[in-house]
Amino acid sequence: MSARLRSAVQNGPALACRGLRVSIAGRLLVDRLDLTLDEGSMLGVLGQNGSGKTTTLHTLAGLHAPSAGRVELYGESVPDLTRRRVARRLGLMLQHQEDPFPSTVLETAMAGRHPHIDMWRWESQSDLETAIQALAEVGLDGLEDRVVDTLSGGERRRLSLATLLAQTPDIYLLDEPTNHLDPAYERKVMTRLRDLADAGRSVAASLHDVNLASRFCDRCLLLFGDGSWREGETQEVLTEETLSRLYGINMHRIEWKGESLFFAA
């Protein structure tokens, strides 16, 4: 574990919320959520469309104000921190990425370095190398000069991940990171996130694929959309009963090559 991570751990868990109430447009989505995201853990956030996965991640990142409760980053209240200070420790991969201005793939990835660049300072060679390495990790090496709006949906999604990797935060929050990806890149992306957690980072990702959560996440947060939730170790919370309630459809589990696989029927 890096010295930066060791120092952070002494001040409290990487990310935590207590009594968190998440609402949007007058609708209560999550009520009294108590959650701790420790270093070295990977959390899967599951639920139906509209259950509050995105809004909850935005609330944890400090982009959406909770109706009640508190979010802490290494023991400090997130609203009390500057956005630059938060961005140096916590990164968020959005579900949808807008590109209002033309830019190249490399320029977009370099945006991930901005929280670490002081005012009036240009990007360094180290910043450039970090961004190039991040692009290579998601299979976009060789496309550095491509204009972003010429990318496919899957390539744009991988560029969003590369931008987050270039940011090098301690905490990774990702909203549907496998959206638009083919099975091969789904596996590569989830493996990379698991590697980050195993290296001491903290990862939380909203997912639609229960089997990805079952395979890669050590904990899961289930959001039922009516304020209720359940969180715990993956093997304990991902059951036929809880998933059937979560998705409103009968879910069944089979064991295959030592892994639990779920399917709707």
Side-chain angles (χ1 to χ4, degrees), residues 7 163 194:
S7 175
T163 305
R194 182 68 255 176

Side-chain angles (χ1 to χ4, degrees), residues 40-42 190-199 216-218:
S41 68
M42 183 168 176
M190 293 301 293
T191 298
R192 183 68 184 97
L193 297 179
R194 182 68 255 176
D195 288 344
L196 286 168
D198 291 340
F216 290 98
C217 299
D218 39 68

Side-chain angles (χ1 to χ4, degrees), residues 115-126:
H116 304 283
I117 300 173
D118 295 330
M119 190 176 296
W120 311 120
R121 184 172 73 82
W122 291 100
E123 298 94 339
S124 68
Q125 182 64 30
S126 176

